Amino acid sequence: MKLELGYIQIKDIQFSKECKVENGTLYVDPDAVKAYLYEDDDVKAWVKDFSFDIAKPGESVRITPVKDVIEPRVKVEGPGGVFPGVISKVETVGSGKTHVLRGMAVVTAGKIVGFQEGIIDMSGPGADYTPFSKLLNLVVVAEPAEGYQDHKHEYEHAVRIAGLRAATYIGELGREVTPDETAEFETYGIKEGMEKMPNLPRVAYVHMLQSQGLLHDTYVYGVDAKRSLTTILLPTETMDGAIISGNCVSACDKNTTYHHLNNPVVANLFAAHGKTLNYVCNIITNENVYLADKQRSSDWTAKLCRLLDLDGALVSQEGFGNPDTDLIMNCKKIELQGVKTVIITDEYAGQDGKSQSLADADPLADAVVTGGNANEVIVLPKMDKVIGTLDYVDVIAGGHAGSLRPDGTIEAELQVITGATNEMGFNRLSAR
Amino acid sequence: MGSIGNPRDYLILTNNPMVREHLEGRGRFTIRFEPERSFREILVEARDLVYAGHILYTHPLAGSVKPNETPYKSLIVSVEPHGFDADHAGLMANAIAVFDKFRPIGWELEERILRDFQLIDYSLLCGALNIDAAAGLSK
């Protein structure tokens, strides 16, 4: 199945009375976007108001607490539409043609629970740790309706849908625009791929999805990943939004929807596809709380790796703590099928970096890529402008009592920064 | 006595009042509510039961909320011992080691934030029990 991505480079965002993309500038009428968000009944029920802001690279701006980051895309040819099962109908995506508004993102921010996640600094030392500081961000700040305290699952759903709807609305503006650049991505059927690349090693990507409960969930074609068994996805399906994030906890190593759309493991495997390896498919598997689920899902992952006659598998994790167990179970069981693995994780090695990095381990996990130590302490300078609120900075993963100092600087662990130790390897800083 | 994997065999160890409030009577499981116990003390209690042959049904660590952030912990072990499982014992020992690795944060949590931490713990437990967490809250 072949997908063509047409990249429309966005160089500026401006508020305007009309909505359009012209000469690389996105013009947005916030009222028009807001009206579109409120067409959804859940949004209407649970979100009292939205405010919109624009954050550009290099500005003295801090966005917090960040919920999701989404790249606007629109399906212009072929079956289905973006975010299938959530925004578009459930129809298999990943073929045809999709336009991408590159260089920008829709960022949703606002409170859901009283301990909140995620900082994006657009300049200063914090900006180096988040890829989103390099994007033009259209920030949508949601304010909950009265009574939301007893309905946080519903409110979280409404904010998630609002972000996806905003991205869909913006993406639609790129439908008739001629892309600046196009690229094609194609994987093959099992037999076809073996015939085309008889001498190349067969490699798949085992993509682990956080799937545990409120603020810890991921959805595949609209299905809560915790209710699914391990299965196969074509890599191009993720590029059309088949996987979306409902994961708001642990800012540094959660995968936002932007990460899923632009998964660097997928991008790098495609870059090597047909040259040094045969990129067979993605295997998606969950990270549940119930131990028998972990057992079952990792058994299935290993079984599929064997069934596909793989030579190698890359395994990426999401989150920290009990997903370490899924990671090690997957790695160990896949290796025992005779398939070589490389795992991608991050570390909680203590502020001095001396503690054991993961909550689980096995000698078969002997090829590891790390996204960095999430416990490392960073001091973030005061910014001239805050989009969202600083109310929660003291009560944020990686923060501590007194994190927010009187002079406006923040001392905290890297955990607070959105995407800082991402376990797909989507990072700006590297030791390579 | 419930067979392995049967909800009758679920003993929920918890210090989270929301779990008792919203899950009592919603299944055949048993809730042992121990508000006086800390997060670590719940882990130690579970570890000792696992050492004595009780099955560990849920992973002792959360997916992302760090053990030094939240005071609440709920996990499920078997009501009856079914025989010692070295993997489960290892998970419990590792979880306590992870807990001890994180330094205390030192924040005093106000009631609304405590409720939110209760909610997350409750929601993750519901995920394991296959119970709709939101439906439970709205009764």
Side-chain angles (χ1 to χ4, degrees):
Chain A
M1 196 146 72
K2 194 196 292 186
L3 177 70
E4 181 185 302
L5 291 185
Y7 299 106
I8 299 161
Q9 189 67 38
I10 299 297
K11 303 180 193 98
D12 193 18
I13 303 180
Q14 291 180 20
F15 286 133
S16 168
K17 283 286 161 209
E18 58 178 338
C19 295
K20 63 179 179 183
V21 173
E22 202 171 77
N23 299 323
T25 297
L26 169 67
Y27 297 90
V28 189
D29 174 7
D31 291 335
V33 179
K34 196 192 279 193
Y36 181 71
L37 302 187
Y38 276 122
E39 283 175 23
D40 184 277
D41 287 340
D42 292 327
V43 173
K44 211 181 292 175
W46 296 111
V47 185
K48 185 172 158 191
D49 197 14
F50 291 102
S51 59
F52 293 78
D53 218 321
I54 296 167
K56 300 180 182 181
E59 289 181 342
S60 179
V61 170
R62 172 164 294 145
I63 311 169
T64 188
V66 173
K67 304 269 77 69
D68 199 7
V69 183
I70 309 157
E71 185 172 56
R73 296 188 171 199
V74 59
K75 173 66 71 188
V76 294
E77 267 179 43
V82 292
F83 310 125
V86 182
I87 299 293
S88 305
K89 285 180 183 167
V90 179
E91 187 173 0
T92 303
V93 290
S95 66
K97 201 182 280 188
T98 298
H99 283 180
V100 180
L101 271 58
R102 189 163 68 176
M104 71 156 295
V106 170
V107 176
T108 48
K111 63 177 176 183
I112 293 182
V113 288
F115 57 98
Q116 290 289 276
E117 296 282 334
I119 291 175
I120 297 174
D121 278 359
M122 299 304 291
S123 62
D128 292 338
Y129 287 93
T130 175
F132 306 121
S133 64
K134 311 298 184 291
L135 301 178
L136 294 156
N137 293 314
L138 178 65
V139 189
V140 183
V141 183
E143 195 188 325
E146 297 295 321
Y148 88 107
Q149 285 88 347
D150 295 328
H151 297 273
K152 289 195 172 161
H153 288 84
E154 290 87 345
Y155 180 61
E156 185 277 331
H157 170 84
V159 173
R160 177 160 29 90
I161 295 301
L164 296 168
R165 284 181 71 82
T168 303
Y169 187 89
I170 302 296
E172 191 64 40
L173 303 174
R175 180 179 288 281
E176 303 299 336
V177 179
T178 306
D180 299 295
E181 191 189 326
T182 59
E184 284 185 352
F185 303 91
E186 185 174 20
T187 50
Y188 306 103
I190 301 292
K191 188 177 161 208
E192 191 187 4
M194 289 185 107
E195 285 169 357
K196 277 183 195 290
M197 294 166 269
N199 300 316
L200 293 180
R202 298 168 54 72
V203 178
Y205 169 35
V206 176
H207 185 181
M208 294 170 51
L209 309 173
Q210 179 88 275
S211 55
Q212 308 205 335
L214 179 63
L215 305 176
H216 288 69
D217 282 326
T218 306
Y219 300 86
V220 181
Y221 282 91
V223 175
D224 184 340
K226 78 168 77 68
R227 306 199 186 282
S228 170
L229 286 167
T230 302
T231 189
I232 288 174
L233 213 63
L234 297 174
T236 51
E237 293 181 80
T238 65
M239 296 173 170
D240 277 340
I243 303 178
I244 60 157
S245 171
N247 190 4
C248 298
V249 179
S250 203
C252 66
D253 57 12
K254 74 171 185 181
N255 296 327
T256 67
T257 301
Y258 189 98
H259 287 109
H260 289 296
L261 290 166
N262 291 285
N263 191 322
V265 179
V266 170
N268 281 284
L269 282 171
F270 265 125
H273 185 44
K275 295 174 189 141
T276 56
L277 54 83
N278 174 2
Y279 183 11
V280 178
C281 64
N282 290 1
I283 297 170
I284 52 167
T285 185
N286 50 20
E287 303 174 349
N288 285 10
V289 174
Y290 196 66
L291 276 177
D293 290 344
K294 292 184 184 299
Q295 188 80 36
R296 189 181 298 115
S297 291
S298 54
D299 282 351
W300 278 58
T301 305
K303 183 175 66 181
L304 288 176
C305 288
R306 174 67 189 90
L307 183 72
L308 292 163
D309 271 328
L310 299 179
D311 298 295
L314 277 90
V315 188
S316 75
Q317 185 189 357
E318 182 172 10
F320 154 85
N322 89 44
D324 292 359
T325 296
D326 299 278
L327 177 71
I328 295 300
M329 280 183 172
N330 281 321
C331 171
K332 188 175 161 182
K333 291 177 185 181
I334 295 168
E335 287 271 348
L336 289 173
Q337 294 290 344
V339 179
K340 292 283 177 204
T341 60
V342 175
I343 62 173
I344 314 173
T345 180
D346 67 347
E347 300 175 60
Y348 286 79
Q351 293 191 348
D352 60 3
K354 289 179 180 168
S355 302
Q356 181 169 313
S357 302
L358 297 176
D360 212 334
D362 191 274
L364 288 171
D366 57 2
V368 182
V369 176
T370 174
N373 180 13
N375 292 130
E376 193 171 309
V377 175
I378 187 168
V379 176
L380 304 173
K382 182 180 190 299
M383 293 281 151
D384 292 343
K385 179 178 168 185
V386 173
I387 302 176
T389 172
L390 285 177
D391 288 358
Y392 303 100
V393 165
D394 268 3
V395 196
I396 195 167
H400 54 84
S403 265
L404 180 60
R405 296 164 170 173
D407 64 0
T409 60
I410 295 169
E411 183 197 275
E413 296 182 358
L414 281 184
Q415 290 180 59
V416 302
I417 299 176
T418 302
T421 61
N422 179 268
E423 293 161 290
M424 292 170 171
F426 201 129
N427 294 318
R428 309 295 301 195
L429 297 175
S430 164
R432 275 186 290 189
Chain B
M1 175 175 168
S3 56
I4 292 175
N6 185 312
R8 285 185 200 283
D9 193 40
Y10 291 171
L11 172 62
I12 301 171
L13 306 177
T14 184
N15 61 0
N16 178 356
M18 194 178 283
V19 167
R20 186 179 65 167
E21 194 180 330
H22 293 292
L23 285 181
E24 207 145 65
R26 288 187 66 199
R28 288 166 291 171
F29 42 75
T30 306
I31 298 174
R32 187 186 288 176
F33 177 56
E34 301 169 303
E36 71 288 354
R37 285 192 195 255
S38 66
F39 187 120
R40 193 180 191 282
E41 286 166 343
I42 295 279
L43 291 182
V44 169
E45 183 185 14
R47 179 198 65 190
D48 291 348
L49 286 169
V50 168
Y51 282 180
H54 293 255
I55 283 182
L56 181 64
Y57 280 118
T58 56
H59 198 287
L61 294 172
S64 280
V65 175
K66 310 299 177 302
N68 61 343
E69 292 176 76
T70 175
Y72 300 108
K73 185 74 232 166
S74 302
L75 50 74
I76 312 177
V77 295
S78 62
V79 171
E80 302 284 341
H82 297 283
F84 179 75
D85 185 312
D87 289 340
H88 292 178
L91 284 174
M92 286 312 313
N94 277 336
I96 292 167
V98 167
F99 180 92
D100 291 340
K101 179 173 76 179
F102 283 86
R103 68 172 198 180
I105 288 180
W107 59 41
E108 281 197 23
L109 299 169
E110 43 185 293
E111 186 57 31
R112 69 186 173 100
I113 294 171
L114 287 173
R115 289 291 288 178
D116 285 339
F117 278 124
Q118 290 171 16
L119 176 68
I120 296 295
D121 176 71
Y122 159 82
S123 177
L124 266 55
L125 181 67
C126 286
L129 291 168
N130 212 7
I131 284 178
D132 184 337
L137 290 176
S138 53
K139 309 232 168 46

